[in-house]
Amino acid sequence: MRKNVSFFLGTVAGACLTLLVTAPQGAHLVAAAKAAVRSDTYSQLNLFGDVFERIRIDYVEKPDDAKLVEGAINGMLASLDPHSRYMNAKGWSDMQETTHGEFGGLGIEVTMEDGFVKVVAPIDDTPAAKAGIMSGDVITQIDDEAIQGLTLDQAVNRMKGPPHSKIRLKIIRKASDKPIEIAIVREIIRIRPVRYHTDGGDIGYIRITSFNEQTTDGLRKAIAEITREIPPEKLAGYVIDLRNNPGGLLDQAVSVTSSLMPRGEVVSTRGRAAEETQRFTARGGDLTRGKPLVVLINGGSASASEIVAGALHDHKRATLIGTRSFGKGSVQTIIPLGTGNGALALTTARYFTPSGRSIQAKGVTPDIEVLQDVPDELKTRAETKGEASMRGHLAAEGAEQAGSQSYVPPAEKDDKALIAAFKQLRGVTVNADAPASQKRPVPN
């Protein structure tokens, strides 16, 4: 493969060289065009400088220069895609706390949409989850102050705070008659990314809620404890629950997958240039020793969750049950900008499953679709629109898919997807539900 790629690139380079030698006038035209592009870019930068200076001189009140620059940076990044953003020094520090797995706040994964903060998923056993905040809720006010106009990091910083302090959120839910106000008491959020238990003396259940620096260690501990409780000859397999898991660190997604299959590609990332392609492969061995796996996904399973589900599916290592995942198939690289200047989270690549499929704005489709019975009072907020509904998202390769159920019943006895997973591992035939489009409208 490398030889073929090298040959192709060499052929292109040769063709360019031929043009340069045989048509020097054409080369001058190319150089002139490049110079014109540079000139246009500098002209735009001069325009920015003129506007900046005019604001500094003529605005009705003396502006803060640093805030003007930060606002300009945020506006520039917001024009790219929903996931590229600037973090000032405090925002960068807060993000590092989050990836370490401990911080003070509410316990929700959020994104910015149309100037408001939208909940991707609440984290299990946090104040937000206990207060009833759900995937798809749109936060419009924090302590009676409108969010519109704030950056995502500014809004997140306002939601964080000392433990035991109170915060009031105003949220909008789809098809709700009026905004809902929720009062929450902040807590220290210690994200325990992995929870587990056994079922019926023959199945290990492992729930992964996020991918932070503690996730792989938590998974290893869970598998070790389950194998101590259930003898190998009685262990029918494992359920890996990734529902409403908003994602996290790429390296953790790779190492988690490495712990569940012996070898093979986990994910590849492809940037603007072909030489920027990276491939990540499984390492460390299958800790489950080849036992059958069922992975649960739904509309709230995003990013790193989709990497794990896609890899295990493509290698035929697991059966996927649930509903189509969120569809976030882009990679954000964190670029520190120097002491006191924060960092840039910049979308630098798309990621692809081992079979070469991009899930951007499409999601991962389960092998067996299982729809939950949603209580009447929750039916208007049981759907997550997904990546394809986000303004400015990267276009999909092929048809885009938006809308998937994200409701998970609080009681296991009512959880149809989990029951289906247990049946699958015990050798009971599981029938997929009719496609969602045949049963109810899906928002696009």
Side-chain angles (χ1 to χ4, degrees):
M1 183 64 182
R2 288 182 178 175
K3 290 182 180 179
N4 290 340
V5 171
S6 299
F7 174 76
F8 175 76
L9 294 175
T11 303
V12 173
C16 292
L17 181 60
T18 301
L19 289 173
L20 287 171
V21 172
T22 59
Q25 292 181 346
H28 289 312
L29 291 174
V30 171
K34 290 182 178 179
V37 170
R38 285 196 299 270
S39 176
D40 185 60
T41 300
Y42 289 130
S43 175
Q44 294 297 316
L45 289 173
N46 287 334
L47 173 62
F48 171 79
D50 291 342
V51 172
F52 180 80
E53 193 60 27
R54 183 59 58 190
I55 292 171
R56 294 182 71 237
I57 295 172
D58 292 339
Y59 187 65
V60 63
E61 296 177 354
K62 180 174 172 53
D64 183 318
D65 289 356
K67 288 184 177 179
L68 285 179
V69 172
E70 185 171 329
I73 293 171
N74 285 321
M76 178 168 55
L77 290 165
S79 72
L80 298 176
D81 70 277
H83 306 295
S84 293
R85 68 189 192 279
Y86 168 69
M87 295 170 282
N88 59 24
K90 187 177 187 309
W92 173 220
S93 175
D94 289 342
M95 182 182 181
Q96 290 173 300
E97 287 180 2
T98 302
T99 58
H100 289 322
E102 182 173 318
F103 56 93
L106 307 180
I108 48 176
E109 179 76 13
V110 294
T111 188
M112 185 68 78
E113 185 173 298
D114 297 330
F116 296 107
V117 172
K118 185 173 183 179
V119 177
V120 175
I123 300 169
D124 288 354
D125 296 329
T126 62
K130 294 172 185 175
I133 290 180
M134 296 188 68
S135 177
D137 284 348
V138 176
I139 302 172
T140 61
Q141 291 185 13
I142 301 173
D143 288 331
D144 299 324
E145 293 188 18
I147 281 181
Q148 200 159 26
L150 299 180
T151 67
L152 180 60
D153 287 315
Q154 287 170 337
V156 168
N157 288 338
R158 290 196 180 187
M159 286 187 279
K160 291 183 176 181
H164 312 301
S165 61
K166 294 182 179 180
I167 183 174
R168 295 188 313 281
L169 302 180
K170 182 174 285 188
I171 65 174
I172 294 175
R173 285 179 176 151
K174 184 183 176 184
S176 180
D177 294 335
K178 57 183 180 180
I180 301 169
E181 293 192 9
I182 297 178
I184 307 177
V185 177
R186 296 181 180 94
E187 296 178 5
I188 290 293
I189 307 300
R190 296 183 179 89
I191 301 178
R192 193 176 68 172
V194 179
R195 294 174 175 82
Y196 58 92
H197 63 78
T198 60
D199 183 84
D202 63 343
I203 292 176
Y205 170 85
I206 301 174
R207 166 117 172 90
I208 302 177
T209 59
S210 64
F211 289 86
N212 63 31
E213 293 175 358
Q214 304 169 24
T215 302
T216 302
D217 288 341
L219 175 65
R220 290 170 179 161
K221 179 181 178 182
I223 294 173
E225 291 294 328
I226 289 169
T227 55
R228 270 196 284 271
E229 291 184 34
I230 305 176
E233 64 275 10
K234 291 185 178 180
L235 183 58
Y238 295 85
V239 175
I240 309 297
D241 192 346
L242 298 177
R243 292 176 296 179
N244 292 335
N245 181 326
L249 300 174
L250 174 61
D251 64 344
Q252 288 292 306
V254 173
S255 60
V256 162
T257 309
S258 298
S259 300
L260 298 172
M261 68 182 200
R263 66 183 69 84
E265 183 175 306
V266 175
V267 66
S268 63
T269 62
R270 305 177 196 173
R272 185 192 301 180
E275 61 269 19
E276 294 174 356
T277 297
Q278 288 184 284
R279 298 186 183 278
F280 300 86
T281 57
R283 58 190 186 280
D286 181 3
L287 300 181
T288 69
R289 300 186 179 183
K291 290 291 184 179
L293 300 178
V294 171
V295 175
L296 299 180
I297 58 173
N298 69 2
S301 304
S303 195
S305 301
E306 296 172 292
I307 289 175
V308 174
L312 295 175
H313 178 267
D314 282 6
H315 286 286
K316 303 187 186 305
R317 181 66 187 92
T319 300
L320 306 186
I321 293 180
T323 58
R324 188 177 57 252
S325 63
F326 188 84
K328 181 182 177 294
S330 61
V331 180
Q332 284 68 50
T333 299
I334 305 300
I335 307 171
L337 299 175
T339 305
N341 292 325
L344 196 62
L346 186 65
T347 300
T348 55
R350 297 172 185 255
Y351 70 74
F352 294 79
T353 69
S355 65
R357 292 182 298 120
S358 168
I359 59 88
Q360 172 62 20
K362 293 190 291 187
V364 176
T365 302
D367 298 297
I368 302 172
E369 183 182 53
V370 176
L371 301 173
Q372 304 285 359
D373 294 327
V374 183
D376 290 340
E377 66 273 16
L378 301 178
K379 284 183 178 178
T380 59
R381 51 190 166 116
E383 295 280 344
T384 296
K385 289 186 177 180
E387 177 81 6
S389 70
M390 300 183 73
R391 180 175 295 178
H393 68 272
L394 296 178
E397 295 185 353
E400 296 187 348
Q401 299 286 339
S404 177
Q405 193 182 75
S406 59
Y407 174 73
V408 178
E412 286 192 0
K413 66 180 180 60
D414 301 324
D415 191 339
K416 292 175 66 176
L418 181 58
I419 292 170
F422 288 157
K423 287 182 177 180
Q424 177 80 10
L425 290 173
R426 290 179 177 130
V428 179
T429 301
V430 178
N431 295 319
D433 286 330
S437 59
Q438 296 180 16
K439 302 192 72 171
R440 69 199 193 294
V442 175
N444 287 300

